[in-house]
Amino acid sequence: MPNPDAAQLQSSLKKMTVLGSVLYIAAHPDDENTAVLAYCANHRLLRTGYLALTRGDGGQNLIGTEQSELLGIIRTQELLAARRMDGAEQFFTRAIDFGYTKSPEETFTIWDRQKVLSDVVWVIRSFKPDIIITRFPSTGEGGHGQHTASAILAEEAFSLAADASQFPEQLKYVEPWQAKRIFWNAWLPALQERKADLNKLIRLDIGDYDPLLGKSYTELAAESRSMHKSQGFGVSGQRAETLNYFDLTKGEPAANDLFDGIDITWSRIPGGEEIGTMLGDIYRKFNPENPSASIPQLIKAHRQMSLLPENIWVKQKQKELREVIKSCAGIWMEAIADDYAAAPGNQIKITAAIINRTTYPLALQKINFPFQTPDTLAPVDLKKGKVVSSSNQVTITSETEYTQPYWIAKEPTKGMFAVDDQKIIGSAENSSALNVEFIVKADSELLRFNIPVLYRWTDPVKGERYRPFTIVPAVAVNVEEKVYLFSSNNPKTITLTLKSGAANVNGNLRLQLSKGWTSSPESIPFGLKNKYDETKLQFSIQPPASSSDGFFTAVAAVNGKMYSQSIQSIQYDHIPIQTLFPPAKAKLIRLDIRTEARQIGYIMGSGDQIPEYLSQLGINVKLISDEELERGQFESYDAIVAGIRAYNTRPRLKFAQEKLMSYVENGGTLIVQYNTPRGLAVDNIGPYPFKITNDRVTFEDAPVGILLKDHVVMRYPNIITDQDFAGWVQERGLYFANPWDAKYETVFSSNDPGETAKNGGMLFTRYGKGVFIYSGYSWFRQLPAGVPGAYKIFVNMISSGKAK
């Protein structure tokens, strides 16, 4: 990480004098009030944390096609990028964001309530906040059921964290902790609805201007919030007074400030007053043009801290102080691997280097490489501007685990990730795969710095780039599709790609298949001479004669060890490269299905995978560019499908809409999948008016009523029955229409328990010679999940214009 500038360093010095903490709690990435986090971390200089109960796995993705746990990985890293902006820390529970819910009761039927509550208690006990703030109230005004659930659990955990009889297994590592009070960070319309007396609430202007930052905390918050790129949450900064209200929900009353009655100075630590005085004096005398002048007193403060009894604040401030000393000396430390990955049992060259960029006398005592690799470097003085480096060949031990997000290493349940190690629960991400420890001597004090091992390269456009070093399997088997469709009992050839993580990998590849499915050949030998070599192998899979579901797992046998992982990389410029190793597994579906639409044009929106799955049915799918949209020559297509949020994300549709309606009028079929109500490219998506709402059906197994049993979508070219709505995932649909013009027909009806029927999930109309359909049902989730009935209905939709 780059050293801070003088203004940031001055702020860090002042923060050394503050011993207060706040934990903010909500349900998802992007729920947090980044302005409050920025205000607390940078103005009040508090240790500030955000606990998101989930990683946002159930959201939508505006920048790619990743869904579910892959989207959760992206959103985790976006939160960490946001925290690097606003200065807060990030935590999570094991709860999975399984999609929109309408009540906390629904949420708790899917989450393991006790486990999530345990995780919230664990984070409170570990972080030890003085106060807790929730984004949402426990009374439901937050709308989303998971929002309300987060507040309910936060309020319960506020009390339970102090009770040693609750979750006693945690007490091997932490102590009970009672925060002073818990607030709801209320928004004004909800308070007005409640007729709350605003004079009785804590009120803060979180839009203050910080001359050291050169911006207000709300401007900083906008930069932080804009890191949520997968959600399209880029925002502009506010530059005026921004009042926020805080409603006490539990704990001791506060009259004027969130921290009323809480000592947030060094006086809270027995024997700490002298250190507080010393640090305050260092801050006041700090010279931004000569930061190293502060080092002698900082070293003295570090020595004094080590004499105090063990305490979370002493440990935290020693950690911060080491970073301040490093920054005052302009020290740069790095540990660079000569490759970005290696397999267990293999070697990697690591070069550790350190530079002192001041004249202050420092000495490097020792460098500790991973796996107790001996280092021959003797203690050496660190002279200004002189690089001291040491290189070592490090052997990665055979039992070293592969580097991937810890929460996806085991198969999850529907609502919970499977994490058994109490010590890593709550962590935002894995610790670095490998670390190098530098021991630096300053005066008589030894300072220890753990530096993650990275890989560095130079991009001709972006300049210096880094990525995490990763531990990979000796061989990975990549499967081209998650689902393979068989529309007849003819065999299908599948291609598997083997990728080596080491040199000279030789073995055999075979498929393990569900009963009734067979493959040939039985196994295929392979040899990969060089690291990162790839080879493609093909198997022919024979499906059963009748409709059936199954799976296959690809297994590579190498020297008696079995490898059944694939390797996947997630790469976006705003987050570090993420590597994971999902099972080399795919779903097999033998499905009797007919299609009358062979040529499909697809207007991709925010990103989905429907085109590739339609292609498996022998349908030719072509992505329609903006240029083709504007030309409007659509006659060759049997149907055109607009992907999810196409009218939100493809501005040129505004100029193509008239041509698309002409295409329908002249006999074409146009299917528009869900869009959100705000930011549509046109006022009327269809030939007749309808309004898109926030209506949705969140229970994936909610009953679906068939309103028009003889409708073309129900019978052509495939007969649809109730069974075709079985096995759906996450939800029925979202952003249903209501109201709509009488010329539209509604084919299906569905609703969540206790709600009225929602008939606007699919609107069908004939316009001229053609067909227009708007559908909020979540085909973009069901087709990649291999739901057979969803394929039949979707094929009927694109074929409906061919029906006589």
Side-chain angles (χ1 to χ4, degrees), residues 104-315:
E105 291 78 18
E106 178 189 348
T107 299
F108 291 136
T109 64
I110 296 176
W111 287 354
D112 185 322
R113 180 171 179 161
Q114 279 302 104
K115 285 185 178 179
V116 183
L117 179 60
S118 167
D119 292 355
V120 179
V121 168
W122 168 258
V123 173
I124 291 173
R125 286 172 171 174
S126 302
F127 190 76
K128 296 185 182 299
D130 292 311
I131 65 167
I132 297 171
I133 302 173
T134 66
R135 186 65 185 115
F136 303 104
S138 59
T139 46
E141 290 93 332
H144 196 317
Q146 292 177 23
H147 291 171
T148 305
S150 72
I152 291 171
L153 293 173
E155 291 179 16
E156 290 180 9
F158 170 79
S159 301
L160 296 181
D163 186 345
S165 69
Q166 299 296 319
F167 310 110
E169 69 281 359
Q170 298 178 2
L171 301 183
K172 290 186 291 185
Y173 313 104
V174 294
E175 298 172 341
W177 180 255
Q178 180 62 69
K180 183 73 73 173
R181 54 184 69 100
I182 181 170
F183 294 95
W184 165 40
N185 181 196
W187 49 92
L188 193 57
L191 292 173
Q192 291 169 337
E193 181 72 21
R194 291 183 174 195
K195 296 181 172 55
D197 184 350
L198 300 183
N199 293 319
K200 294 182 178 180
L201 304 182
I202 300 294
R203 182 176 69 177
L204 298 174
D205 176 13
I206 58 173
D208 245 359
Y209 176 77
D210 189 324
L212 284 179
L213 294 173
K215 61 188 76 172
S216 67
Y217 303 115
T218 42
E219 288 177 281
L220 180 60
E223 295 174 7
S224 170
R225 190 160 184 78
S226 294
M227 297 311 297
H228 295 294
K229 299 184 187 302
S230 67
Q231 305 307 292
F233 276 0
V235 294
S236 298
Q238 298 181 32
R239 297 169 180 86
E241 180 183 67
T242 305
L243 296 179
N244 264 225
Y245 295 89
F246 298 86
D247 186 13
L248 182 73
T249 52
K250 273 187 175 183
E252 295 185 11
N256 302 305
D257 185 73
L258 299 173
F259 282 80
D260 274 0
I262 302 174
D263 186 354
I264 59 172
T265 72
W266 276 92
S267 297
R268 74 186 296 173
I269 306 297
E273 288 189 27
E274 182 181 347
I275 293 175
T277 301
M278 185 186 307
L279 291 169
D281 188 56
I282 295 170
Y283 166 70
R284 286 187 293 272
K285 293 178 180 177
F286 176 71
N287 180 358
E289 294 187 359
N290 183 20
S292 62
S294 299
I295 294 178
Q297 288 300 104
L298 291 170
I299 296 296
K300 183 178 178 182
H302 189 273
R303 187 179 302 118
Q304 289 291 105
M305 284 186 198
S306 64
L307 301 176
L308 293 176
E310 186 174 329
N311 178 283
I312 186 174
W313 276 116
V314 174
K315 184 177 179 181

Side-chain angles (χ1 to χ4, degrees), residues 321-337:
L321 183 52
R322 285 192 292 273
E323 290 300 311
V324 167
I325 293 169
K326 178 170 76 76
S327 299
C328 284
I331 294 174
W332 175 265
M333 287 177 280
E334 64 182 26
I336 304 298

Side-chain angles (χ1 to χ4, degrees), residues 25 41 46 48 65 116 174 210 250 261 290 295 302 305 336 422 425 430 513 586 606 624 633 664 705 708 746 769 780:
I25 300 178
L46 302 163
T48 305
T65 60
V116 183
V174 294
D210 189 324
K250 273 187 175 183
N290 183 20
I295 294 178
H302 189 273
M305 284 186 198
I336 304 298
Q422 180 67 63
I425 288 172
N430 304 50
L513 295 110
S606 59
I624 297 178
Q633 298 172 354
V664 175
L708 299 171
T746 55
K769 300 177 182 178
F780 74 103

Side-chain angles (χ1 to χ4, degrees), residues 339-348 371 394-402 469-475 500-503 505 531-532 561 563 581:
D339 202 349
Y340 62 81
N346 285 256
Q347 286 194 330
I348 192 77
F371 306 115
V394 174
T395 300
I396 298 167
T397 58
S398 58
E399 66 272 12
T400 305
E401 294 184 354
Y402 306 138
F469 175 78
T470 55
I471 311 294
V472 301
V475 64
S500 64
V505 179
K531 187 178 181 181
Y532 304 133
K561 185 171 182 178
Y563 296 87
F581 308 100

Side-chain angles (χ1 to χ4, degrees), residues 331-616:
I331 294 174
W332 175 265
M333 287 177 280
E334 64 182 26
I336 304 298
D338 66 348
D339 202 349
Y340 62 81
N346 285 256
Q347 286 194 330
I348 192 77
K349 181 182 178 182
I350 299 174
T351 299
I354 181 170
I355 309 171
N356 175 14
R357 291 182 280 193
T358 69
T359 57
Y360 193 84
L362 300 170
L364 177 64
Q365 291 296 104
K366 191 176 181 183
I367 297 177
N368 289 322
F369 284 84
F371 306 115
Q372 298 182 333
T373 305
D375 184 45
T376 58
L377 184 70
V380 59
D381 290 338
L382 296 172
K383 299 188 181 300
K384 181 180 178 181
K386 302 295 183 182
V387 178
V388 175
S389 66
S390 178
S391 296
N392 248 314
Q393 291 287 341
V394 174
T395 300
I396 298 167
T397 58
S398 58
E399 66 272 12
T400 305
E401 294 184 354
Y402 306 138
T403 308
Q404 67 172 336
Y406 73 88
W407 60 94
I408 64 168
K410 294 183 179 180
E411 188 75 20
T413 63
K414 181 179 178 182
M416 299 294 296
F417 289 114
V419 182
D420 301 323
D421 186 348
Q422 180 67 63
K423 296 188 296 298
I424 64 173
I425 288 172
S427 302
E429 61 179 342
N430 304 50
S431 56
S432 176
L434 301 178
N435 290 282
V436 169
E437 183 186 46
F438 292 79
I439 302 177
V440 176
K441 188 175 183 181
D443 297 337
S444 60
E445 198 75 0
L446 294 181
L447 307 175
R448 297 174 180 269
F449 300 93
N450 273 308
I451 304 300
V453 175
L454 304 174
Y455 175 71
R456 179 174 59 204
W457 76 103
T458 302
D459 183 279
V461 175
K462 300 171 184 175
E464 187 174 69
R465 305 287 286 173
Y466 292 87
R467 64 179 291 176
F469 175 78
T470 55
I471 311 294
V472 301
V475 64
V477 187
N478 278 11
V479 182
E480 288 188 338
E481 305 290 352
K482 290 183 178 179
V483 176
Y484 287 91
L485 300 168
F486 296 76
S487 56
S488 70
N489 59 2
N490 293 326
K492 179 176 284 190
T493 298
I494 67 162
T495 301
L496 304 173
T497 302
L498 279 79
K499 300 186 174 187
S500 64
N504 299 313
V505 179
N506 302 294
N508 284 277
L509 181 67
R510 67 177 63 242
L511 301 183
Q512 295 176 347
L513 295 110
S514 298
K515 186 177 180 180
W517 297 77
T518 60
S519 67
S520 63
E522 183 177 328
S523 67
I524 303 175
F526 65 87
L528 298 166
K529 182 179 179 181
N530 301 305
K531 187 178 181 181
Y532 304 133
D533 274 357
E534 296 185 11
T535 188
K536 293 183 182 297
L537 302 179
Q538 292 186 327
F539 289 85
S540 177
I541 294 183
Q542 177 66 52
S546 58
S547 295
S548 174
D549 294 355
F551 292 91
F552 78 76
T553 299
V555 180
V558 178
N559 296 328
K561 185 171 182 178
M562 304 301 164
Y563 296 87
S564 57
Q565 307 92 351
S566 62
I567 185 168
Q568 188 170 356
S569 179
I570 300 175
Q571 299 192 34
Y572 291 98
D573 283 346
H574 67 299
I575 61 174
I577 294 173
Q578 301 296 296
T579 305
L580 58 152
F581 308 100
K585 184 178 181 179
K587 187 173 184 178
L588 301 168
I589 301 176
R590 167 70 174 92
L591 181 64
D592 288 320
I593 188 170
R594 289 175 50 213
T595 179
E596 297 300 325
R598 295 293 177 185
Q599 301 293 327
I600 301 295
Y602 204 89
I603 306 169
M604 186 61 73
S606 59
D608 60 66
Q609 298 172 294
I610 287 179
E612 59 194 79
Y613 289 104
L614 291 180
S615 297
Q616 287 200 42

Side-chain angles (χ1 to χ4, degrees), residues 742-781:
K743 295 184 179 67
Y744 288 106
E745 299 167 345
T746 55
V747 185
F748 304 124
S749 176
S750 189
N751 57 271
D752 285 320
E755 296 189 348
T756 58
K758 291 179 172 56
N759 298 348
M762 180 186 291
L763 304 182
F764 180 102
T765 190
R766 295 192 180 276
Y767 178 63
K769 300 177 182 178
V771 167
F772 173 85
I773 299 173
Y774 174 78
S775 181
Y777 285 94
S778 60
W779 313 110
F780 74 103
R781 296 195 193 278

